[in-house]
Structure formats: C-alpha cells, structure tokens
Amino acid sequence: MFSELPPSSVPTSKVDCRWLFGEYYVYLSCMNLCINSTCTLKNTHLTHNSCPGQYPNRVYTLANNSFLSFVTKSENGDYENDYFQCNNSKCIRYDQVCDLINDCGDLSDEVGCTNHMVCGMPNETQLISLSQRCDGRYDCFDLTDECNSDCTKEILENSFLKWMCWLMGVLAVLFNATMVIQTTISLKSCGRCTGTTT
C-alpha cells in the first residue's frame, strides 16, 4: 500500500503528526500512530474504472477476491496502486495527500488533515503549515495566520497609530455625511430651478 519505510522511521508509540506531510503523514495516521489525526484515506477502493483518463497502461487485477481493480508499473518495474481518488474522480499519489498543496483541484486531498491551517480568503484557498501560525510573519494573504484569537498579535500595535486610524475613520464618516447633505440640498434647490426659465 505504501512505499517501504525504513524501520527506524516508524515510531513504536503514537506521535504528534501535525508537523508531518505527504505519504509519511498518511502512513502514520492510517496505521493509527498519530495522537491527533485519523486516517485521511477514504474507505472506498479503486475499481477498474477509477481515475478516468489517467494511467492508460494500467493492469487489471482482482483485489481482495471481491472486485476488479488496477495497478500500474513504476519506473523500477514494481507494480503499485498507491493512489488516492479525489472527489472529482482525479487520482493522485499518496505522497500528494496532506502536503499543503491542492493537488486534486477540489481540496479533497487536504480535507481531514490536521497538519495545516486554512487561510480565510473567500475566493481562493491557501494552506499553510501549523508552524507558520502565530510565528510573527504574515504567511496568509488575508493575515489570518497572525491576526486571530489564538495569536496575541494586532495589525497596529502602536497606540498612536490606533488612535490616528480611529480619528481618520470618524473624520471620513463626518465628511461623507456632509457631502450627502450638501448634495441633497443642491438637488432640492436645483429641482426648484428647473421649473423656472431664465
């Protein structure tokens, strides 16, 4: 199922997997060796018609004596079926799951992973490592990795700058209200003028 891991890299007890990525994260979480993570792989099996349009040189095989599946031949001549099927039917390798990159295109390869933070941008999803959260550097384009309830950071830490921003906001509201009143008065007086001829 997974590439061979050297015995020295497989822990003997549960570990914190929040700092691991890719195939190693998937391997440990699916072997129930993670403290805070569950297996991110779906319980569905790849069938003979999975991954449409991909792997044209697939070899069909009977899996678990119950369904037709496929394997592919690797560069070193071994047969493998280490593929994760995305929600959009695209298939990717296990080392591309939980690696902070939207390899599927629909984020299904990053759903359920506890090793990242999702930045709060509405139209685009950006993933960053948990180690980048509250580290004093802005990694998310919307600054949510530093400006949130967990971090004690504020965008403006200087009291004078906070006061100036507040003052500029109040003045902007007052000036805009003045412009609305002047425009309304001007339109009313202009409406009276349109009935008269000069």
Side-chain angles (χ1 to χ4, degrees):
M1 179 173 150
F2 296 97
S3 300
E4 285 296 317
L5 292 174
S8 61
S9 65
V10 179
T12 56
S13 62
K14 288 191 174 196
V15 296
D16 186 355
C17 293
R18 292 180 296 170
W19 319 113
L20 304 175
F21 303 96
E23 187 174 11
Y24 195 51
Y25 175 91
V26 173
Y27 176 80
L28 292 182
S29 66
C30 291
M31 297 300 290
N32 198 24
L33 291 172
C34 292
I35 295 171
N36 54 356
S37 306
T38 58
C39 185
T40 56
L41 301 180
K42 304 171 194 168
N43 289 330
T44 58
H45 302 286
L46 291 180
T47 60
H48 68 285
N49 58 354
S50 297
C51 316
Q54 292 180 279
Y55 316 112
N57 296 328
R58 59 178 74 190
V59 177
Y60 296 101
T61 183
L62 186 63
N64 296 337
N65 289 325
S66 61
F67 63 94
L68 187 62
S69 185
F70 72 90
V71 294
T72 58
K73 198 169 193 178
S74 67
E75 291 176 8
N76 62 2
D78 295 333
Y79 288 98
E80 55 188 26
N81 67 343
D82 296 350
Y83 299 112
F84 173 85
Q85 187 167 13
C86 308
N87 290 344
N88 60 9
S89 297
K90 178 181 176 183
C91 292
I92 59 173
R93 296 180 321 274
Y94 283 160
D95 63 346
Q96 294 175 290
V97 178
C98 297
D99 66 346
L100 304 180
I101 300 170
N102 182 10
D103 298 294
C104 286
D106 63 2
L107 276 177
S108 56
D109 57 317
E110 302 299 323
V111 172
C113 306
T114 59
N115 62 351
H116 66 266
M117 173 189 165
V118 179
C119 299
M121 298 177 300
N123 297 331
E124 185 179 329
T125 303
Q126 181 186 6
L127 305 169
I128 63 166
S129 168
L130 289 178
S131 64
Q132 294 174 295
R133 185 177 186 184
C134 302
D135 66 350
R137 293 184 12 215
Y138 296 108
D139 300 296
C140 291
F141 297 128
D142 63 353
L143 311 180
T144 54
D145 60 319
E146 300 300 325
C147 300
N148 60 56
S149 59
D150 295 333
C151 305
T152 57
K153 301 259 185 209
E154 297 179 3
I155 293 176
L156 296 174
E157 294 180 1
N158 185 316
S159 297
F160 175 75
L161 290 177
K162 288 181 189 179
W163 185 83
M164 288 300 294
C165 288
W166 182 84
L167 179 64
M168 288 181 5
V170 169
L171 289 175
V173 169
L174 289 175
F175 288 137
N176 281 326
T178 303
M179 291 303 295
V180 168
I181 292 169
Q182 287 179 350
T183 303
T184 304
I185 292 171
S186 175
L187 288 174
K188 283 185 179 182
S189 66
C190 185
R192 286 186 229 133
C193 296
T194 56
T196 60
T197 58
T198 54

